[in-house]
Amino acid sequence: MGSTEFLEEFTAHLDSNVFTRTFSFSSAQLPVIAAPVSDLAGRVVLIGGLGVVIQLCEHEARGRPKAAELEKWFASELKKGVNQIRQTRDLISSYDGISLVNDAGHRVWVARAEPQDVAALLVHRTVRAKGHVPPRYNKSRAAGFVHIMSDREYYGIREHLITPSELVDYLRFRQDILSRPFRVPANVSEDALLGQYLFEELDAPPDARYETAGRTFRGDPNLWAFSYVLQNLSAQIARRDAESVEGTYQPILTEVARLGRPELRELRTYLRLSLEAVRADRFELPYRLTCASTKCGFLVLPGSAEFRLRAREALESLAAASKYELGMDRQVSLAMWRSGEIIDIDWLYAEGPNPPDETLDKRLEHAYPFRTVSEKG
């Protein structure tokens, strides 16, 4: 484990993201059911059957270390860190499902995660030394594939990969490309690998030019819209009591976090288009997306300023009709409208069966309130 300062900084970085703030836990929270575990990795992120085990290590050298010193340190830290990660993954895979308490004091139900869906990551903080190239990964029969990156590299990829599912998906790509027969050239940085992933040229050979190309995504308006809406959601969570957070907002976060990149891309586009409509004070038909793999529907309803007087009623009515028509097990819905210079957002989560409803059938037949739905997954 790194220094207390490094751990506090890393934890603060996790807390700056509404997903990892909700679904990351200290390994001390993990109950040991059978034999005692000698040492565990520092942090785990667990959500919707996916997970990442994270171990921190820091080389606290005075001055600039020599390459040989760093190589010796890495060898020692890898041996210890990989063992901690292995024990943590084994412990997680032993749970059929578990209830944990996050750093905010909220109880979170964590579904069973298969071992192949729990990535392993060792994040290090070191001073560079001439002639020393830190390893990108470690692979062993006992622990499997363990990703290795610096804290700067980790913080950099998290600027683009906001949800846990995106991070896990990127780590899968990273494992694939680092496991190919031809070694990734030293001049291909983590930013270059990220750029290649963002451009979805997953089967192409790694190339340093992706580093420059990847920077074009920093100004993506869809990503900005997504971040804006998540900030609103995070602010609402901070104002709610534990019952509301655990019963409504955690399920919303879980469903968004489970979306793959194609579904997220579409949802982000709908959020941007809705924000543009709201800023122009236009009421528009809701945007809808269904995720076949999770049986969850999403509805985004942009409204004009005067819409705010009936926003909740309209959102509940349209969300119920959409969930019923599409036969979704769960539904995440939000309405947005202008209130002066502020954009207000109201969130709604619903789950359960969709029994026959003649009233809804007639309503959908005579006054259809939706545009064409997009189905993903």
Side-chain angles (χ1 to χ4, degrees):
M1 176 65 69
S3 66
T4 301
E5 181 181 353
F6 184 22
L7 175 60
E8 291 176 349
E9 179 189 297
F10 192 86
T11 303
H13 187 272
L14 291 175
D15 287 346
S16 68
N17 177 299
V18 66
F19 294 104
T20 46
R21 180 167 66 249
T22 303
F23 299 105
S24 70
F25 312 92
S26 165
S27 61
Q29 281 286 330
L30 300 177
V32 178
I33 299 173
V37 178
S38 59
D39 204 3
L40 297 175
R43 303 289 300 186
V44 296
V45 179
L46 298 170
I47 179 172
L50 298 174
V52 184
V53 176
I54 305 173
Q55 175 64 9
L56 306 180
C57 58
E58 181 179 16
H59 185 261
E60 301 180 79
R62 295 181 180 178
R64 186 167 294 277
K66 295 182 179 179
E69 178 186 344
L70 277 182
E71 288 176 7
K72 182 178 179 180
W73 177 81
F74 262 106
S76 174
E77 288 297 318
L78 273 178
K79 183 178 180 180
K80 180 172 62 177
V82 167
N83 184 58
Q84 292 170 310
I85 287 171
R86 177 189 60 78
Q87 293 193 80
T88 308
R89 292 175 83 177
D90 289 346
L91 183 59
I92 291 171
S93 65
S94 71
Y95 303 141
D96 288 330
I98 193 167
S99 178
L100 299 172
V101 177
N102 62 22
D103 291 343
H106 296 137
R107 186 161 292 280
V108 182
W109 172 256
V110 178
R112 175 175 173 80
E114 299 296 335
Q116 65 271 19
D117 294 324
V118 179
L121 174 61
L122 190 146
V123 179
H124 62 85
R125 173 174 286 178
T126 58
V127 178
R128 293 183 180 180
K130 185 177 180 180
H132 178 258
V133 179
R136 298 180 192 257
Y137 69 94
N138 179 270
K139 191 173 183 180
S140 66
R141 181 177 299 178
F145 193 99
V146 176
H147 297 270
I148 302 172
M149 61 182 69
S150 71
D151 57 333
R152 294 185 299 274
E153 290 169 334
Y154 175 82
Y155 297 151
I157 66 174
R158 293 300 282 164
E159 290 181 19
H160 296 275
L161 309 178
I162 296 175
T163 71
S165 61
E166 287 181 291
L167 175 60
V168 171
D169 192 54
Y170 172 71
L171 293 177
R172 286 173 180 153
F173 158 74
R174 190 179 187 272
Q175 178 176 343
D176 173 73
I177 203 167
L178 292 175
S179 300
R180 294 175 187 175
F182 299 100
R183 184 182 295 273
V184 174
N187 69 330
V188 176
S189 65
E190 194 69 39
D191 283 343
L193 293 179
L194 176 63
Q196 181 174 349
Y197 173 79
L198 293 174
F199 274 104
E200 299 186 2
E201 298 185 6
L202 308 183
D203 297 325
D207 195 305
R209 289 176 294 181
Y210 284 115
E211 179 175 339
T212 302
R215 293 172 187 158
T216 62
F217 284 87
R218 295 187 185 279
D220 183 356
N222 286 351
L223 188 62
W224 178 89
F226 187 55
S227 296
Y228 182 90
V229 172
L230 287 181
Q231 287 172 8
N232 173 275
L233 183 59
S234 179
Q236 293 200 35
I237 290 173
R239 296 195 298 266
R240 299 299 192 269
D241 58 25
E243 183 178 355
S244 295
V245 171
E246 295 167 12
T248 300
Y249 291 96
Q250 284 181 14
I252 290 173
L253 287 171
T254 298
E255 295 303 334
V256 176
R258 294 171 72 192
L259 293 175
R261 283 191 64 76
E263 300 106 320
L264 267 177
R265 184 186 304 113
E266 193 129 14
L267 179 61
R268 286 167 174 164
T269 299
Y270 291 163
L271 292 173
R272 175 182 58 81
L273 292 173
S274 296
L275 285 170
E276 290 173 354
V278 168
R279 288 196 183 94
D281 203 27
R282 297 194 312 266
F283 179 89
E284 292 190 357
L285 292 177
Y287 294 93
R288 295 192 296 165
L289 167 71
T290 65
C291 181
S293 61
T294 63
K295 282 290 185 180
C296 184
F298 293 81
L299 181 144
V300 185
L301 176 62
S304 60
E306 64 180 23
F307 168 76
R308 69 182 184 276
L309 300 176
R310 54 188 177 89
R312 184 68 181 188
E313 179 184 354
L315 180 62
E316 291 177 348
S317 176
L318 288 168
S322 181
K323 183 177 181 296
Y324 174 80
E325 183 200 20
L326 299 174
M328 294 288 103
D329 295 339
R330 295 171 300 282
Q331 176 91 15
V332 173
S333 308
L334 63 148
M336 57 178 72
W337 64 91
R338 275 182 59 180
S339 181
E341 297 300 316
I342 299 172
I343 295 179
D344 285 330
I345 302 178
D346 193 11
W347 295 84
L348 181 66
Y349 176 76
E351 62 179 340
N354 301 288
D357 189 321
E358 291 186 9
T359 302
L360 270 178
D361 286 331
K362 290 179 180 178
R363 175 186 165 197
L364 291 169
E365 181 180 353
H366 296 292
Y368 193 71
F370 302 120
R371 64 181 84 213
T372 303
V373 69
S374 173
E375 181 172 319
K376 295 291 180 180

